[in-house]
Amino acid sequence: MNNYLENLNEEQKLPVLHKDGPLIVIAGAGSGKTRVLTYRIIHLINQGVDPFNILALTFTNKAALEMKKRISQITSESISRNLWMGTFHSIFARILRSEAHIIGYPSNFTIYDSYDSEKLISNIIKEFKLDKDNYKAKVIKNRISSLKNNFISVEGYYNNPELIEIDKSSKREQFGKIYKEYVRRCFKASVMDFDDLLLKTNELLKKSPEALRKYQEKFKYILVDEYQDTNYSQYLIVKALADRHENLCVVGDDSQSIYSFRGANIDNILNFKKHYPDSKSYKLEQNYRSTKNIVQAANSLINHNKLKLDKTIWTDNDTGDKILLNKSLSDSEEGRYVSSNIFELKNNYQLKNSSFAVLYRTNAQSRSIEDALRKINIDYQVFGGVSFYQRKEIKDVLAYLRLIENLNDEESLRRIINFPPRGIGQTTMDKLVILSNKHDVSIFDAISKIDRYSKNFRSGTIQKLEDFKNLILSFKIFSSKNNAYETSNLVIHKTKLIDFYRNDGTLESMNRIENIEELLNGVNDFIEQQLEIFEGDNSLSKYLQDVALYSETDKEIQSEKVSLMSIHMAKGLEFPIVYVVGLEENLFPSIMSINSREEIEEERRLFYVAMTRAKEKLILSHCEQRFKWGNIIDCEPSRFLSEIDMKFVNNINVDKNFIRQKINENKLRLKKLPFKKLKKIKTDFVSNIKNPLININLNQKVYHERFGEGIVEDIEGEGDNIRAKINFKVGGEKKILLKFAKLKIIK
């Protein structure tokens, strides 16, 4: 443990050795900020600070686990376990579990994810009989989230005429009513959403001076990762907790602030010196990740931002290849270019699929890339699709488990009261909701007292409700004496969910069964993890909390797959070879983000993040035309491309000798629909008319840009008409005219 400082450069040592007082570390991309945070914690412990008195806040579970692992390797596992380290939401959920009674919540409150919140809001809109076009559940949810993150309560909303006017002008005059009802229903159901974990922690620290003092004294040293991504609510909590000792260390990069759409406030990092006048500032400017060309090109881009902290990122790494700039005719051709380039680099350099990542501005852009990769049998995984925990069958099981844990959980009850079908229809449900609201009790309470309201229900319905109540209560009793796996297993089998899907007999149903089985495997993994932890908690409550705080960004990158993801999801990751596609005006920068300097600067920071994910090779791509809304539209290259210093770029499309023909617009009523462009054939593809593929033989393995890998089965014809019959793995048997073929021999 004594020689750990030898692993740091001089820049990194300074913030690690800084013990008392506030400090900010401006850490450029790939500069080793995680290492600095980790070693600072190790150094504090080595200086006699009790691990129980250290709080480290991250934005992903993955980052927290990585740091804990490094700390345990240098110190010990028992020491790392004593640290308060995790995501903002997981740490604040832990505090709230202990102190919830102060703000009127039970300790077993349920945590709603975005889907659950949206579903509850949708029900409220329906009950209020509001126009679904004006009151879209997702829009309302995002609006509520924004208000909460800015610490604006229902009361605060009604006291702000400007906010009310904004909603009036958007034809959402009833927003305040929805917000109020949403908060009421959550409280009644003992539910907190993700934003509440921040809002209620603020409320707790403000309402209870005793609780504030307790945690101020507990957390003598506080460290915050990715400080540029914090919102106002997170800032207030961190400030409150650090006020007593002011041993606050924040690490971040203003050039990577890209989450304003979810409330992140770049002012938190830009104004840190103003908030803490006595703070020390340190810079990590050496990049260990990327080549000189990539680092300098990224610098030339971000220098166009005016709102930034002063720093110059540099590297001792090799110069590396110039950045490649590709221009394709269409998004389909762009997909084929990316897939063929991956295929070529894989074979030439014996690379794994995991060496490659394709980044885009919006998730919809993945389609053309996916199609092209599938055609040539390259395995890939898409990040940002439907998460495992968002699948219907998984949500169903979790709804049972959450209801067992919290009988007041209204949305969970609604979801499973008649699933699998048990004869409790929507009419019965509507009556229960009315009773619940009338008597201000939970729906489960209303069911438990159903004998009082027997006149409202048929005897058969009453019996079914009684059976449902008894089933849930039996699960709850079982759960109190058994672990999360045993409870989950019992619920799945007693409710006959597997039987329900098996009787359906469809392929989809079989997949759902497999997913439920995988969920059980996941619960078992959780139990095994807890067994490894000293005094680990294997309860259903702990499992549900872990699942609720699961983040898609924590999804593991599989070793043998190309990664496809939005740039937002790529933050914090790195890959040897990175493709950034769709670099066109109104796509990147987004048409939604070009109305102000602040918006443009955030889009530029987003592009900076994309560029700095690459370690060895960076390929930028844009299209001349893109298919949108049933039309082909002309595209203009992104303004950001012209902001990169061209001495770091190799434009691979300088040859403009291509053939383009137009179809009569009146006939097809499409704008500029072209025939396929014929580009100049590259020299690494065999296509010389004078010497037509003399090296190609029968049974030769070849690669085609469009059809992928294939075997030459026959060669026929002569002169310009020589053609090869090739059996492609994906496209099947095709006769290829060698005069125009884009073929490459696979050795």
Side-chain angles (χ1 to χ4, degrees):
M1 182 171 170
N2 293 327
N3 62 350
Y4 59 90
L5 292 175
E6 295 173 7
N7 297 316
L8 303 171
N9 65 27
E10 291 306 310
E11 283 183 333
Q12 294 169 335
K13 275 182 190 175
L14 292 172
V16 168
L17 295 173
H18 178 125
K19 189 179 180 191
D20 295 329
L23 70 151
I24 180 170
V25 184
I26 308 302
S31 62
K33 68 174 178 65
T34 305
R35 177 177 290 245
V36 167
L37 276 172
T38 304
Y39 281 69
R40 176 166 167 78
I41 292 169
I42 293 166
H43 189 66
L44 287 171
I45 295 167
N46 203 33
Q47 295 295 302
V49 178
D50 191 332
F52 283 103
N53 295 140
I54 298 174
L55 169 64
L57 296 165
T58 66
F59 274 86
T60 66
N61 293 311
K62 187 178 177 181
L65 289 169
E66 185 184 334
M67 286 169 64
K68 263 193 178 179
K69 187 178 177 182
R70 289 193 196 180
I71 292 166
S72 65
Q73 286 170 347
I74 296 175
T75 58
S76 70
E77 232 176 286
S78 60
I79 287 175
S80 68
R81 286 195 194 115
N82 295 338
L83 293 164
W84 278 64
M85 180 182 285
T87 64
F88 282 87
H89 292 98
S90 66
I91 293 294
F92 298 158
R94 186 175 169 185
I95 291 172
L96 288 169
R97 292 280 183 210
S98 298
E99 316 295 341
H101 61 279
I102 297 172
I103 54 173
Y105 276 80
S107 61
N108 67 333
F109 61 83
T110 300
I111 301 171
Y112 272 6
D113 61 18
S114 294
Y115 178 90
D116 302 316
S117 297
E118 201 173 312
K119 190 77 171 69
L120 175 56
I121 290 166
S122 183
N123 285 332
I124 292 169
I125 291 167
K126 186 179 175 182
E127 289 166 22
F128 286 173
K129 297 179 179 175
L130 298 171
D131 185 353
K132 287 183 181 178
D133 291 331
N134 288 339
Y135 294 91
K136 292 179 177 169
K138 193 165 188 171
V139 173
I140 300 294
K141 182 191 78 67
N142 290 340
R143 177 86 166 130
I144 290 173
S145 177
S146 176
L147 291 174
K148 285 184 175 183
N149 284 328
N150 284 288
F151 212 38
I152 300 169
S153 64
V154 172
E155 187 182 356
Y157 172 82
Y158 277 116
N159 288 331
N160 192 321
E162 191 178 334
L163 291 174
I164 294 170
E165 188 55 41
I166 289 170
D167 287 315
K168 277 186 179 177
S169 63
S170 303
K171 297 182 179 178
R172 292 193 294 266
E173 298 92 341
Q174 300 300 311
F175 169 80
K177 187 179 173 185
I178 299 170
Y179 186 14
K180 186 178 180 179
E181 182 63 9
Y182 174 75
V183 169
R184 189 188 74 81
R185 293 271 276 275
C186 283
F187 184 75
K188 189 177 84 170
S190 303
V191 160
M192 291 191 198
D193 61 23
F194 267 29
D195 303 309
D196 282 330
L197 295 175
L198 306 180
L199 187 70
K200 299 299 179 185
T201 303
N202 265 309
E203 186 182 320
L204 169 71
L205 299 178
K206 193 174 179 182
K207 187 175 180 179
S208 173
E210 293 81 12
L212 177 60
R213 277 196 301 273
K214 173 183 172 181
Y215 289 102
Q216 282 179 337
E217 202 51 47
K218 183 171 187 59
F219 304 133
K220 290 184 171 68
Y221 290 86
I222 300 173
L223 301 93
V224 183
D225 191 15
E226 306 285 9
Y227 193 64
Q228 78 280 349
D229 294 334
T230 54
N231 59 33
Y232 183 58
S233 194
Q234 288 162 329
Y235 160 76
L236 288 175
I237 296 170
V238 170
K239 190 174 185 309
L241 292 173
D243 265 356
R244 179 167 289 241
H245 300 285
E246 287 204 339
N247 294 323
L248 172 64
C249 169
V250 303
V251 181
D253 182 4
D254 56 297
S255 297
Q256 297 187 65
S257 179
I258 59 174
Y259 292 114
S260 67
F261 66 92
R262 67 183 191 198
N265 188 352
I266 194 172
D267 290 342
N268 291 347
I269 192 168
L270 295 177
N271 296 330
F272 185 83
K273 195 76 179 172
K274 195 183 292 181
H275 300 150
Y276 298 93
D278 298 328
S279 63
K280 295 285 186 183
S281 182
Y282 303 94
K283 294 178 184 177
L284 303 182
E285 296 177 303
Q286 184 176 358
N287 178 296
Y288 289 93
R289 176 185 297 154
S290 309
T291 63
K292 280 189 174 71
N293 269 319
I294 293 171
V295 169
Q296 291 171 356
N299 283 347
S300 70
L301 170 85
I302 204 64
N303 283 339
H304 287 82
N305 271 12
K306 294 186 183 301
L307 196 66
K308 65 181 190 303
L309 297 168
D310 183 42
K311 62 181 180 296
T312 304
I313 307 302
W314 60 277
T315 184
D316 269 340
N317 292 341
D318 293 339
T319 302
D321 297 335
K322 283 189 175 184
I323 294 167
L324 293 182
L325 178 58
N326 170 67
K327 178 175 70 176
S328 297
L329 175 63
S330 65
D331 49 351
S332 296
E333 187 180 293
E334 182 178 58
R336 289 194 293 275
Y337 166 76
V338 170
S339 63
S340 64
N341 196 255
I342 290 173
F343 182 91
E344 188 176 340
L345 291 173
K346 270 187 66 180
N347 284 286
N348 289 348
Y349 299 100
Q350 303 302 302
L351 300 173
K352 292 182 177 179
N353 286 336
S354 56
S355 300
F356 302 89
V358 185
L359 310 182
Y360 32 75
R361 180 64 180 83
T362 64
N363 285 318
Q365 291 170 255
S366 75
R367 195 272 315 157
S368 61
I369 310 296
E370 288 186 70
D371 286 353
L373 290 171
R374 272 199 304 269
K375 283 177 182 173
I376 57 174
N377 281 340
I378 293 178
D379 288 336
Y380 65 89
Q381 70 171 339
V382 180
F383 289 73
V386 179
S387 158
F388 178 79
Y389 292 102
Q390 296 300 326
R391 293 170 183 168
K392 180 195 177 303
E393 60 277 13
I394 303 304
K395 295 287 285 185
D396 290 336
V397 176
L398 292 176
Y400 272 105
L401 300 179
R402 294 196 323 193
L403 185 61
I404 294 165
E405 186 61 22
N406 174 13
L407 298 175
N408 295 330
D409 187 342
E410 181 179 313
E411 286 308 306
S412 293
L413 184 143
R414 282 174 180 261
R415 186 178 187 98
I416 51 87
I417 191 169
N418 198 39
F419 188 82
R422 51 176 61 90
I424 302 172
Q426 191 57 49
T427 304
T428 301
M429 195 66 229
D430 291 344
K431 288 179 180 178
L432 288 169
V433 170
I434 291 168
L435 284 172
S436 166
N437 291 333
K438 183 180 176 181
H439 299 281
D440 198 25
V441 296
S442 71
I443 295 175
F444 194 87
D445 276 344
I447 294 171
S448 299
K449 299 167 184 172
I450 199 70
D451 55 319
R452 299 185 189 179
Y453 317 116
S454 56
K455 63 181 181 183
N456 297 304
F457 301 92
R458 296 177 181 174
S459 58
T461 303
I462 291 173
Q463 186 58 54
K464 289 168 185 173
L465 291 170
E466 287 279 0
D467 291 345
F468 174 74
K469 176 198 74 175
N470 292 334
L471 180 70
I472 300 300
L473 289 177
S474 70
F475 289 154
K476 191 169 183 67
I477 293 166
F478 183 88
S479 157
S480 66
K481 300 173 184 176
N482 295 274
N483 65 35
Y485 177 82
E486 291 160 341
T487 304
S488 303
N489 194 37
L490 179 76
V491 167
I492 288 167
H493 288 94
K494 282 281 186 183
T495 56
K496 298 184 177 177
L497 281 166
I498 300 291
D499 292 345
F500 174 81
Y501 287 121
R502 190 174 283 122
N503 291 337
D504 192 40
T506 63
L507 180 61
E508 185 185 12
S509 291
M510 295 303 106
N511 288 336
R512 292 188 190 279
I513 292 172
E514 287 175 4
N515 288 337
I516 291 172
E517 288 172 347
E518 185 56 34
L519 178 68
L520 271 179
N521 291 339
V523 183
N524 191 54
D525 288 344
F526 162 80
I527 297 295
E528 288 180 0
Q529 287 169 18
Q530 293 303 310
L531 289 172
E532 293 174 10
I533 300 170
F534 178 68
E535 295 182 347
D537 183 357
N538 61 14
S539 68
L540 180 62
S541 175
K542 179 68 170 75
Y543 170 72
L544 289 172
Q545 179 172 309
D546 282 12
V547 168
L549 298 171
Y550 171 84
S551 167
E552 183 67 12
T553 56
D554 297 318
K555 186 176 175 181
E556 286 298 317
I557 294 174
Q558 297 181 26
S559 59
E560 273 307 308
K561 292 190 177 182
V562 175
S563 294
L564 275 59
M565 66 186 80
S566 71
I567 301 164
H568 283 100
M569 292 215 66
K571 189 166 173 292
L573 303 176
E574 59 182 43
F575 302 88
I577 301 167
V578 170
Y579 301 82
V580 187
V581 299
L583 283 161
E584 300 127 34
E585 283 294 302
N586 300 332
L587 183 56
F588 197 4
S590 165
I591 196 169
M592 305 296 289
S593 303
I594 55 174
N595 300 311
S596 68
R597 176 180 295 279
E598 290 77 17
E599 288 177 345
I600 286 291
E601 290 205 351
E602 175 149 337
E603 288 288 295
R604 189 176 288 113
R605 290 194 295 269
L606 188 61
F607 187 29
Y608 176 82
V609 167
M611 293 177 72
T612 54
R613 298 312 92 197
K615 295 166 72 175
E616 298 166 17
K617 292 181 185 290
L618 176 62
I619 301 95
L620 309 177
S621 177
H622 67 100
C623 300
E624 290 189 318
Q625 297 176 328
R626 196 170 284 273
F627 194 77
K628 289 183 180 179
W629 310 295
N631 291 300
I632 289 177
I633 63 167
D634 288 333
C635 300
E636 182 185 346
S638 170
R639 69 189 74 185
F640 299 146
L641 292 174
S642 64
E643 294 174 356
I644 300 171
D645 191 330
M646 294 310 289
K647 70 183 178 188
F648 305 117
V649 178
N650 180 17
N651 191 337
I652 60 177
N653 298 105
V654 291
D655 181 38
K656 301 200 180 216
N657 293 322
F658 59 85
I659 299 169
R660 182 186 294 174
Q661 297 178 344
K662 294 182 182 179
I663 295 176
N664 189 305
E665 292 181 14
N666 293 327
K667 284 183 181 178
L668 290 181
R669 298 184 181 181
L670 290 177
K671 183 183 177 183
K672 296 183 181 178
L673 180 63
F675 287 121
K676 177 163 174 65
K677 180 176 74 173
L678 301 177
K679 293 194 301 184
K680 184 178 179 181
I681 299 170
K682 299 172 192 173
T683 55
D684 58 349
F685 286 91
V686 184
S687 60
N688 193 324
I689 297 172
K690 294 179 183 177
N691 189 15
L693 281 175
I694 57 172
N695 293 325
I696 284 189
N697 302 309
L698 291 177
N699 301 317
Q700 178 82 60
K701 268 190 178 183
V702 295
Y703 171 80
H704 188 278
E705 190 175 323
R706 183 183 288 271
F707 305 123
E709 194 177 318
I711 303 281
V712 179
E713 293 186 340
D714 193 17
I715 299 173
E716 58 188 38
E718 58 185 27
D720 288 356
N721 291 317
I722 291 182
R723 54 200 177 272
K725 185 167 78 173
I726 303 172
N727 193 352
F728 293 101
K729 280 185 180 179
V730 178
E733 192 176 277
K734 297 189 184 295
K735 284 188 179 180
I736 303 291
L737 194 63
L738 300 185
K739 178 180 176 180
F740 298 114
K742 292 184 179 182
L743 288 173
K744 186 177 180 182
I745 296 168
I746 302 174
K747 295 177 181 177

